[in-house]
């Protein structure tokens, strides 16, 4: 089972990395683009025999503890077989 | 319209960032986890009036030109209204 944690900056929080990518794309000739936002996806192979419910709970715990900075980031957890 | 580009390391390519997160999770008490892989998601606001087909083509061009390093990374492009 795979646990997937999406981590993205909250609305309204400045994304300096996204800004840099946006400027780079513009200078490469991609004109007229709007906002650019960058998120992370962390895929984790769960321990053998983990159920879906356990996987979601484990993902939540890992996100809160390490993977997401809840002051400026939101996260979402998914599982897949 | 939003263009979403998923960029992930190819199968078989070592993910040092993923390894580091895996070790950190283990030291925080999350035992028995398998492989950890980290990918990027880049969301780009397309220029006004971009059609879906144009959005996909634009996403491909931006991925090839800047967003993905095709030597070690795969990418996938999606659009959403």
């Amino acid at each position: 089972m795979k646990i997937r944690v999406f981590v993205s900056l909250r609305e309204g929080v400045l994304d300096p990395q996204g800004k840099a990518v946006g400027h780079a794309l513009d200078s490469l000739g991609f004109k007229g683009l709007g906002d650019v936002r960058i998120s992370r996806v962390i895929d984790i192979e769960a321990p053998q025999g983990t159920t879906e419910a356990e996987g979601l709970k484990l993902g939540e715990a890992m996100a809160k503890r390490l993977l997401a900075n809840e002051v400026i980031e939101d996260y979402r957890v998914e599982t897949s077989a």
Side-chain angles (χ1 to χ4, degrees), chain A:
Chain A
M1 135 131 25
K2 199 166 273 185
I3 300 169
R4 171 163 281 194
V5 180
F6 287 88
V7 180
S8 53
L9 282 170
R10 292 196 170 181
E11 282 297 318
V13 174
L14 180 71
D15 183 350
Q17 215 183 0
K19 281 263 180 271
V21 169
H23 288 312
L25 287 170
D26 186 77
S27 63
L28 287 170
F30 298 101
K31 299 297 177 190
L33 299 177
D35 214 15
V36 177
R37 306 279 290 178
I38 299 184
S39 311
R40 295 192 303 281
V41 176
I42 301 120
D43 287 314
I44 301 149
E45 200 63 49
Q48 283 290 338
T50 304
T51 64
E52 188 171 338
E54 288 165 348
L56 288 172
K57 237 177 99 190
L58 186 55
E60 282 280 325
M62 292 189 286
K64 283 191 183 303
R65 195 71 199 285
L66 178 74
L67 304 177
N69 172 355
E70 289 193 272
V71 174
I72 57 169
E73 291 175 328
D74 289 320
Y75 67 84
R76 185 167 47 97
V77 182
E78 286 177 6
T79 59
S80 61

